Amino acid sequence: MKYVSTRNTSREYSASEAILKGISDDGGLFVPSSFPNLDGVLFDSLLRMDYQERAAKILSLYLDDFTFEELLDITNAAYSHFEGDDPCPVVKIEDSLYMLELWHGPTCAFKDMALTVLPHLIVGAKRKLGLNEKTLVLVATSGDTGKAALEGFKDVDGTEVIVFYPSKGVSEVQRLQMVTQEGGNVHVAGIRGNFDDAQTAVKKVFNDRDIIDELASLGYKMSSANSINWGRLAPQIAYYISAYCDLVNGGEIAFGDKVNFVVPTGNFGNVLAGYYAYRMGLPVNKLIIASNSNNVLTDFFNTGVYDINRIFYKTSSPSMDILVSSNLERLVFEASGRDDATVRKLYSDCAREGKFTFDTDKIRGGVFEAGWADEDDVMGAIDTFFDLDDYVMDTHTAVAASVYNDYSCETDDDTPTVIVSTANPFKFAPSVLNALGIHEKNAFKALAKLQTVTALDCPESLATLIDKEEIHSTVVDSALVGAAVINFVKNK
């Protein structure tokens, strides 16, 4: 399997090269040269596997630099840090409605599903390419990716990781998870601005020749842990396929039946992984994109106009407070017939004008639907699911639940549906409590109260944050991110 850039298909890269580079030199994103086929024989074997084996098998179809045995060692090591026997259980809510819980990892968010795997892939890729330089992993986060990357790369030999987050744009628990992170190779800085400012600044660093050369002189080469990195996105494909296998094994559907997936998304990586599973042959009826009040994706899929020139809202689902959805470029590439010239033009227009237009029928591809939920909708979904189904969800999952309710009412679609649940409700305890009619602004008092109200156990990793020392205090302007990167490396 080879990889090409969304902005230049003339050069091919190996999987190891794509993983280590993170982003192409031309600013594009790496995509596989083709999609593997999930035929009946492969599906039959996947049905008999546990999650670690399924993930390794799916990865082996894309990462042929690695053997299946190597990848199985990686997935076994990665998911050994998760609670329970199943890293991502499918929970039945009611007939034909299920939750895919992706938050049983060390940081209580779905980013763990890939970011416990990525460090192993980077170390393995360097070994396969015979590279000795250190890898500097740069991360822009809207809340969850940062902590998952810090935890995943903590003290990994030959790596340094730097995380930039919007200093006033994450929950208090998310902030504390990052600024208390221990490890000899981890660095954290807040940015004065929102996630889009952080993401744009980090992307500029990747393409700044002066910074690249200075880092090289210090023995470092940059890579990314955001979902722009193929090594981060590929592991996410596995949980869509695994969820389908679980439904078949549980007798909820028959093999070949179609399902819907409802995915809360901001940067478009999570739902894109579902699209790749669909392109491989997973029987998907609809991929339903769920946005919060920052509904740039909903507008794009419904009107064909991608326009980031709009009000930015800070919401109770901060990991989705995003207007610049980086992974959308990969879908535009596929929807344009893999026309790199079209992608270059559209993203040049976007860089210049903050918008572009695309054919809605092509971008929806017969599989995508899109909707959005405001704050009242989110609060209502949390309250309703707890009242009727005794199920507690976080604010991001509630966006998806609300959007699905609207979709179901409007279409009468009775296809079995999986809501992709992306965070433990305790990560956003004040907002979840507020939805249940209890007001508590203090994050740690809210953790205790939510535990009492729901009879659920608060994860120890969250409950003990209050006792940890805040180690990382740097806050910078977005224009100074490049200087901060060099400063971190020189003074580590």
Side-chain angles (χ1 to χ4, degrees):
M1 177 71 74
K2 297 297 184 181
Y3 293 83
V4 296
S5 166
T6 53
R7 302 187 190 185
N8 183 0
T9 59
S10 63
R11 179 180 173 185
E12 293 185 329
Y13 301 80
S14 70
S16 293
E17 289 173 321
I19 290 168
L20 289 180
K21 290 180 74 66
I23 188 170
S24 176
D25 294 336
D26 53 41
L29 306 184
F30 291 112
V31 294
S33 57
S34 61
F35 291 105
N37 181 36
L38 284 174
D39 58 27
V41 174
L42 177 55
F43 254 124
D44 187 59
S45 66
L46 291 170
L47 290 170
R48 298 191 299 272
M49 296 178 177
D50 63 16
Y51 186 77
Q52 290 85 335
E53 292 171 311
R54 289 172 184 168
K57 186 62 178 178
I58 298 305
L59 286 172
S60 72
L61 302 177
Y62 285 102
L63 310 180
D64 55 9
D65 295 13
F66 296 78
T67 66
F68 170 76
E69 290 73 22
E70 287 174 322
L71 292 167
L72 183 58
D73 285 343
I74 288 173
T75 56
N76 278 328
Y79 299 126
S80 67
H81 301 294
F82 283 57
E83 63 177 23
D85 297 329
D86 187 349
C88 51
V90 176
V91 177
K92 186 173 183 176
I93 303 300
E94 56 190 53
D95 286 346
S96 296
L97 183 62
Y98 312 85
M99 287 283 177
L100 173 58
E101 294 182 346
L102 300 177
W103 39 261
H104 292 278
T107 76
C108 305
F110 84 100
K111 306 299 176 70
D112 291 326
M113 296 299 301
L115 282 168
T116 53
V117 174
L118 180 60
H120 297 283
L121 293 178
I122 285 180
V123 170
K126 288 170 67 175
R127 183 174 63 249
K128 290 176 183 301
L129 294 175
L131 301 177
N132 296 315
E133 73 260 18
K134 292 184 178 181
T135 300
L136 177 61
V137 180
L138 295 187
V139 182
T141 184
S142 56
D144 289 333
T145 293
K147 172 60 179 178
L150 292 165
E151 190 66 28
F153 282 94
K154 177 182 66 178
D155 295 327
V156 172
D157 288 343
T159 67
E160 298 283 331
V161 58
I162 305 176
V163 169
F164 294 95
Y165 71 96
S167 62
K168 297 185 183 300
V170 299
S171 76
E172 180 63 3
V173 167
Q174 287 175 313
R175 186 188 73 83
L176 285 171
Q177 282 187 304
M178 289 184 281
V179 301
T180 62
Q181 176 68 52
E182 298 175 347
N185 66 333
V186 301
H187 316 276
V188 181
I191 280 186
R192 298 181 184 95
N194 58 40
F195 169 74
D196 292 327
D197 298 321
Q199 181 169 243
T200 298
V202 166
K203 282 185 176 180
K204 286 182 179 178
V205 171
F206 273 105
N207 291 290
D208 188 313
R209 177 47 58 184
D210 290 337
I211 293 176
I212 292 170
D213 291 343
E214 185 164 3
L215 288 172
S217 72
L218 296 169
Y220 288 91
K221 194 166 186 177
M222 289 184 288
S223 189
S224 173
N226 287 88
S227 54
I228 57 175
N229 189 320
W230 178 249
R232 156 70 193 282
L233 185 62
Q236 296 180 251
I237 300 171
Y239 53 71
Y240 286 92
I241 297 169
S242 182
Y244 189 90
C245 290
D246 286 347
L247 291 175
V248 172
N249 284 340
E252 299 295 330
I253 61 173
F255 178 73
D257 288 350
K258 290 188 175 183
V259 298
N260 297 327
F261 288 95
V262 190
V263 191
T265 192
N267 213 20
F268 205 72
N270 199 5
V271 71
L272 180 71
Y275 171 75
Y276 282 174
Y278 162 73
R279 289 294 302 270
M280 292 172 67
L282 189 69
V284 173
N285 178 50
K286 293 294 182 182
L287 292 168
I288 303 170
I289 300 161
S291 301
N292 65 14
S293 296
N294 295 293
N295 56 357
V296 61
L297 288 172
T298 304
D299 286 350
F300 177 56
F301 279 86
N302 291 333
T303 69
V305 179
Y306 180 68
D307 189 350
I308 63 175
N309 302 303
R310 60 178 65 213
I311 297 172
F312 177 87
Y313 295 99
K314 293 174 68 175
T315 74
S316 62
S317 47
S319 296
M320 298 165 63
D321 289 347
I322 297 169
L323 296 179
V324 181
S325 303
S326 288
N327 271 289
L328 185 63
E329 180 169 338
R330 285 182 163 117
L331 179 63
V332 170
F333 177 75
E334 300 298 337
S336 66
R338 301 196 141 212
D339 185 344
D340 55 1
T342 294
V343 175
R344 287 196 303 273
K345 180 183 185 307
L346 290 176
Y347 279 87
S348 175
D349 292 345
C350 193
R352 184 177 61 255
E353 302 173 7
K355 63 180 180 179
F356 63 77
T357 301
F358 198 86
D359 186 301
T360 53
D361 289 336
K362 288 182 179 179
I363 202 66
R364 289 167 72 113
V367 70
F368 285 106
E369 299 289 340
W372 68 283
D374 64 20
E375 291 294 87
D376 288 340
D377 296 327
V378 170
M379 297 297 109
I382 293 171
D383 184 45
T384 298
F385 269 69
F386 184 59
D387 183 43
L388 298 182
D389 300 299
D390 197 29
Y391 188 86
V392 186
M393 66 178 73
D394 85 292
T395 48
H396 304 74
T397 306
V399 171
S402 176
V403 167
Y404 172 67
N405 182 63
D406 290 343
Y407 169 81
S408 180
C409 291
E410 292 169 3
T411 64
D412 291 325
D413 182 358
D414 60 359
T415 302
T417 296
V418 178
I419 294 174
V420 178
S421 182
T422 53
N424 188 301
F426 282 93
K427 288 200 75 168
F428 305 93
S431 294
V432 174
L433 275 176
N434 186 48
L436 302 179
I438 302 170
H439 303 289
E440 178 55 72
K441 292 184 178 180
N442 182 282
F444 294 99
K445 290 181 180 179
L447 291 176
K449 287 185 177 181
L450 185 59
Q451 187 167 248
T452 299
V453 170
T454 63
L456 297 174
D457 292 329
C458 177
E460 184 179 359
S461 63
L462 302 182
T464 57
L465 278 174
I466 193 172
D467 300 319
K468 292 189 175 182
E469 177 188 0
E470 295 193 26
I471 300 170
H472 309 279
S473 59
T474 302
V475 179
V476 300
D477 292 330
S478 59
L480 298 178
V481 164
V485 168
I486 297 299
N487 186 59
F488 275 134
V489 172
K490 285 184 174 180
N491 296 286
K492 66 180 184 63

